[in-house]
Amino acid sequence: MARKFFVGGNWKCNGTAEEVKKIVNTLNEAQVPSQDVVEVVVSPPYVFLPLVKSTLRSDFFVAAQNCWVKKGGAYTGEVSAEMLVNLDIPWVILGHSERRAILNESNEFVGDKVAYALAQGLKVIACVGETLEEREAGSTMDVVAAQTKAIAERVSNWSNVVIAYEPVWAIGTGKVASPAQAQEVHDELRKWLAKNVSADVAATTRIIYGGSVNGGNCKELGGQADVDGFLVGGASLKPEFIDIIKAAEVKKSA
């Protein structure tokens, strides 16, 4: 079974209500490949989730950028998986490198979050990736495997998981992993899943790439055998996000 191309737009901590309306209008007017070719998910900040959910075209879906690790309660400032489910938000991004680095979210904490969100019925974009120091030390796969292992130890059903490989050194820096570098890690990750989870999970789980993806590099990246789509940062706030969605066509013609 072919893996359906997946394009996620992570808006991060950006936007005003007016700007969000403009982005949604641009997306709503766009001519993009059909849902059987590409799955599109956009992730606005929490405060704009209801606005985007209520105005976005029905063939695109909405994701939160994070959620709490267990049931809600006395956790000031947190948003629980249950609340997202209550708002009919189907997806959540977990373990983004910015949260791992700035908020010190450990592999185990991210693994717990993924397991809890899935148990509540959310679909998860789980992020993994190495820093520049780790890549230069030759430990890319050790790092990515440890991050994935913390998820695999807690998750039995992978049907609602998308893995986003985001080399930290390529996020927002303009440095992009070459298509060959991206393919190499995606291939190794898939082999890791085959060995440590199952051949079926390895074959069906989508592994998407994130890190300075733009309209200019998306087709070549998307054409790699084990690159199943993208998690787009800055470019998801711009009209070129449409071009990135259209890169799904490279798989259809392959």
Side-chain angles (χ1 to χ4, degrees):
M1 185 189 80
R3 298 181 295 269
K4 191 195 288 188
F5 208 79
F6 184 100
V7 178
N10 176 11
W11 297 0
K12 305 191 181 183
C13 188
N14 291 294
T16 61
E18 284 312 305
E19 287 165 350
V20 165
K21 284 175 188 166
K22 276 186 191 155
I23 295 169
V24 170
N25 280 339
T26 302
L27 294 175
N28 287 352
E29 288 166 5
Q31 298 287 316
V32 297
S34 64
Q35 267 184 288
D36 57 339
V37 175
V38 63
E39 186 167 4
V40 181
V41 173
V42 295
S43 189
Y46 279 136
V47 291
F48 300 126
L49 283 171
L51 170 61
V52 174
K53 170 99 178 110
S54 62
T55 53
L56 186 67
R57 58 195 292 167
S58 62
D59 56 336
F60 286 8
F61 299 95
V62 181
Q65 295 175 17
N66 178 46
C67 67
W68 182 232
V69 68
K70 51 187 157 187
K71 198 169 162 46
Y75 307 106
T76 301
E78 288 296 330
V79 171
S80 71
E82 288 87 348
M83 292 173 189
L84 297 177
V85 171
N86 182 247
L87 286 183
D88 277 334
I89 304 297
W91 286 91
V92 63
I93 299 171
L94 294 172
H96 193 279
S97 66
E98 287 154 5
R99 298 196 63 85
R100 290 177 186 265
I102 303 163
L103 293 145
N104 298 316
E105 293 195 2
S106 68
N107 291 351
E108 291 69 32
F109 188 62
V110 172
D112 286 342
K113 278 189 169 186
V114 172
Y116 191 80
L118 289 170
Q120 304 316 306
L122 291 171
K123 298 177 186 182
V124 175
I125 301 164
C127 303
V128 299
E130 83 285 6
T131 63
L132 186 58
E133 297 74 33
E134 289 162 344
R135 173 163 280 270
E136 287 175 344
S139 55
T140 294
M141 258 334 283
D142 295 340
V143 171
V144 172
Q147 291 168 334
T148 310
K149 180 172 183 264
I151 295 165
E153 286 173 343
R154 295 162 172 81
V155 170
S156 50
N157 183 352
W158 285 74
S159 58
N160 287 332
V161 180
V162 169
I163 297 175
Y165 167 61
E166 297 202 294
V168 179
W169 47 272
I171 298 174
T173 59
K175 288 181 183 170
V176 189
S178 69
Q181 282 174 319
Q183 167 59 21
E184 180 186 23
V185 177
H186 284 230
D187 178 51
E188 290 289 336
L189 247 173
R190 215 175 285 290
K191 285 177 182 158
W192 188 93
L193 288 172
K195 185 178 169 191
N196 297 280
V197 183
S198 77
D200 182 56
V201 165
T204 56
T205 300
R206 289 172 292 182
I207 305 175
I208 61 176
Y209 170 79
S212 298
V213 176
N214 59 44
N217 59 31
C218 57
K219 279 192 177 165
E220 198 182 354
L221 283 163
Q224 303 300 307
D226 289 288
V227 176
D228 301 316
F230 308 111
L231 185 57
V232 185
S236 68
L237 300 164
K238 303 171 187 167
E240 72 182 293
F241 186 58
I242 312 297
D243 299 322
I244 299 170
I245 297 169
K246 288 178 180 169
E249 296 283 1
V250 301
K251 283 287 195 277
K252 203 173 76 167
S253 56

